Amino acid sequence: AQKITQTQPGMFVQEKEAVTLDCTYDTSDQSYGLFWYKQPSSGEMIFLIYQGSYDEQNATEGRYSLNFQKARKSANLVISASQLGDSAMYFCAMRGSKTSYDKVIFGPGTSLSVIP
Amino acid sequence: DAGITQSPRHKVTETGTPVTLRCHQTENHRYMYWYRQDPGHGLRLIHYSYGVKDTDKGEVSDGYSVSRSKTEDFLLTLESATSSQTSVYFCAISESGGQSDTEAFFGQGTRLTVV
């Protein structure tokens, strides 16, 4: 069965510093995709970044990068130069294929607070 | 913004009554998902659909049923609502599955309270 683990319920980071949010996953699929979403206090889900299991390069999107270590089954999100507006819940998600029939499952989330 | 609408946005219902939540999309995306969000659990998949009349169970499907009779609508029914089903419900849509880099787009959420 697929599973996503986020072991940091809450994190604090100083403004302008970098922060890493951890995500580990478990799947028996050979082909899968990994996503990160942000949920601010307003409640909407905002897509941040995607990494495919066969992608050899780590994904980057502006200040967001994904540290993908396939052998360790980890897909950590790195936010560089944190801003006050980065304070939110962050969710790691995975979409599998074949055995999991394209389900998209989420981890429990990490609450990030950016301190001025 | 992806064309995805959930209705109602808020609902209060009594224990034991049936409740139906609607997710409507204008994107013609193949995949549709229903999640519930509870503190400490993140988003948990209830049911999902990979085509018209093609649905499957997620992690927390007990007490819920779904139907998808046309591409644009995905209905979630709580057959007999219980207080444990008080939650925020999110619908999501996705054009592709597998390793495709197309993300899932989310609706605004429905806050359901069962009293």
Side-chain angles (χ1 to χ4, degrees), chain A residues 2 31-33 35 37 39 43-45 47 50-55 89 91 95-97 100-109, chain B residues 30-31 33 35 37 40-45 48 50 56-59 90 94 96-108:
Chain A
Q2 293 179 299
S31 172
Y32 50 89
F35 302 81
Y37 283 83
Q39 186 181 43
E44 74 264 36
M45 295 291 288
F47 166 73
Y50 165 85
Q51 178 83 42
S53 59
Y54 290 121
D55 294 341
M89 283 292 293
F91 294 99
R95 178 172 60 209
S97 60
S100 55
Y101 298 103
D102 301 308
K103 290 181 185 179
V104 180
I105 64 166
F106 284 77
Chain B
R30 178 182 175 188
Y31 296 90
Y33 307 85
Y35 296 89
Q37 184 175 22
H41 292 279
L43 282 83
R44 290 182 290 176
L45 182 64
Y48 69 107
Y50 46 96
D56 203 353
K57 295 179 180 180
E59 308 160 89
F90 282 96
S94 179
S96 304
Q99 204 191 191
S100 164
D101 63 355
T102 54
E103 69 267 32
F105 296 96
F106 282 81
Q108 320 95 306

Side-chain angles (χ1 to χ4, degrees), chain A residues 23-92:
Chain A
C23 172
T24 58
Y25 60 92
D26 191 19
T27 181
S28 56
D29 288 340
Q30 295 301 308
S31 172
Y32 50 89
L34 296 156
F35 302 81
W36 277 91
Y37 283 83
K38 171 184 178 181
Q39 186 181 43
S41 58
S42 54
E44 74 264 36
M45 295 291 288
I46 301 168
F47 166 73
L48 296 177
I49 196 168
Y50 165 85
Q51 178 83 42
S53 59
Y54 290 121
D55 294 341
E56 295 186 354
Q57 303 261 0
N58 285 343
T60 60
E61 288 286 347
R63 293 186 299 111
Y64 304 106
S65 60
L66 201 152
N67 184 0
F68 180 49
Q69 299 187 47
K70 191 171 181 178
R72 293 186 172 187
K73 293 189 173 178
S74 74
N76 298 339
L77 177 70
V78 180
I79 305 174
S80 63
S82 297
Q83 302 172 356
L84 295 179
D86 293 334
S87 294
M89 283 292 293
Y90 288 81
F91 294 99
C92 181

Side-chain angles (χ1 to χ4, degrees), chain B residues 17-95:
Chain B
T17 60
V19 176
T20 295
L21 308 183
R22 182 188 186 221
C23 179
H24 178 78
Q25 62 149 327
T26 57
E27 305 295 324
N28 201 36
H29 283 357
R30 178 182 175 188
Y31 296 90
M32 299 186 77
Y33 307 85
W34 275 109
Y35 296 89
R36 60 177 290 173
Q37 184 175 22
D38 305 290
H41 292 279
L43 282 83
R44 290 182 290 176
L45 182 64
I46 304 171
H47 283 279
Y48 69 107
S49 169
Y50 46 96
V52 173
K53 297 186 180 179
D54 292 324
T55 65
D56 203 353
K57 295 179 180 180
E59 308 160 89
V60 290
S61 59
D62 287 348
Y64 301 94
S65 62
V66 289
S67 67
R68 191 169 179 201
S69 58
K70 43 187 179 176
T71 300
E72 57 265 36
D73 288 324
F74 192 33
L75 304 181
L76 176 71
T77 298
L78 288 65
E79 292 139 12
S80 177
T82 67
S83 58
S84 64
Q85 293 175 312
T86 293
S87 187
V88 178
Y89 291 84
F90 282 96
C91 176
I93 63 174
S94 179
E95 184 177 21

